[in-house]
């Protein structure tokens, strides 16, 4: 009899629900490890359906950091959204692309990066990616070629240790690109 492995989708859903539960518990407990303005409950996850950004939100320009003391280690994770750029080829035959990257000074259990492209302040595309047992994670998103003003927006969740607390790095934006 062959032993089956759960599919990637099931493992990812389980991991994402664990991250979401950790974030909720951390928010209720008063996140002492939350990053910058996240401790002030500013910003919202892109997956919550962010449709536009306000003038106030544009003041948060990357990079933003989250820090934690894990055992004897001080770990800092930095979120950096890239300035959007034109790409050639791919699923649309070319278009605009935005990338967001989180880099940590030591390995953490999980990094979930959420990235979106905004065209004239309206969210036009979104993507997320989670990496485990890593120091670096990235997510990219693409939009079919259409001239205009673009900005990459990104946020991230850092789960410091297995079953441990999660910190939220709030929505931050790249520079504006006229593509």
């Amino acid at each position: 009899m062959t032993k089956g492995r759960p599919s990637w989708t099931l493992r990812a859903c389980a991991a994402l629900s664990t991250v979401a539960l950790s974030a909720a518990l951390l928010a209720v407990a008063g996140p002492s490890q939350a990053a910058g303005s996240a401790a002030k409950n500013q910003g919202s996850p892109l997956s919550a359906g962010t449709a536009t950004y306000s003038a106030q939100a544009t003041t948060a320009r990357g990079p933003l950091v989250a820090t934690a003391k894990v055992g004897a280690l001080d770990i800092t994770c930095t979120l950096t959204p890239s300035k959007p750029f034109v790409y050639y080829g791919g699923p649309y035959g070319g278009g605009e692309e935005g990338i967001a990257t989180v880099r940590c000074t030591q390995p953490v259990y999980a990094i979930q990066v959420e990235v979106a492209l905004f065209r004239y302040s309206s969210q036009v595309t979104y993507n997320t990616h989670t990496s485990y047992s890593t120091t670096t994670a990235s997510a990219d998103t693409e939009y079919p070629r259409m001239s205009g003003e673009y900005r990459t927006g990104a946020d991230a969740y850092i789960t410091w240790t297995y079953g441990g607390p999660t910190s939220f790095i709030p929505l931050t934006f790249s520079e504006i690109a006229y593509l």
Side-chain angles (χ1 to χ4, degrees), residues 90-106:
Y92 303 114
E96 285 72 36
E97 183 171 4
I99 300 172
T101 302
V102 173
R103 287 186 176 83
C104 299
T105 56
Q106 298 289 328

Side-chain angles (χ1 to χ4, degrees), residues 61-113:
R61 293 208 177 119
L64 290 181
V65 300
T67 60
K69 182 131 181 109
V70 179
L73 298 174
D74 288 319
I75 302 175
T76 300
C77 296
T78 305
L79 169 65
T80 308
S82 73
K83 186 174 179 179
F85 57 92
V86 175
Y87 74 92
Y88 300 94
Y92 303 114
E96 285 72 36
E97 183 171 4
I99 300 172
T101 302
V102 173
R103 287 186 176 83
C104 299
T105 56
Q106 298 289 328
V108 296
Y109 174 69
I111 302 171
Q112 179 184 349
V113 183

Side-chain angles (χ1 to χ4, degrees), residues 20-89:
L21 177 60
S22 295
L25 292 173
L26 184 61
V28 170
S32 61
Q33 299 168 334
S37 61
K40 300 175 192 169
N41 294 322
Q42 294 177 355
S44 63
L46 290 169
S47 58
T50 303
T52 61
Y53 62 85
S54 67
Q56 180 183 6
T58 62
T59 61
R61 293 208 177 119
L64 290 181
V65 300
T67 60
K69 182 131 181 109
V70 179
L73 298 174
D74 288 319
I75 302 175
T76 300
C77 296
T78 305
L79 169 65
T80 308
S82 73
K83 186 174 179 179
F85 57 92
V86 175
Y87 74 92
Y88 300 94

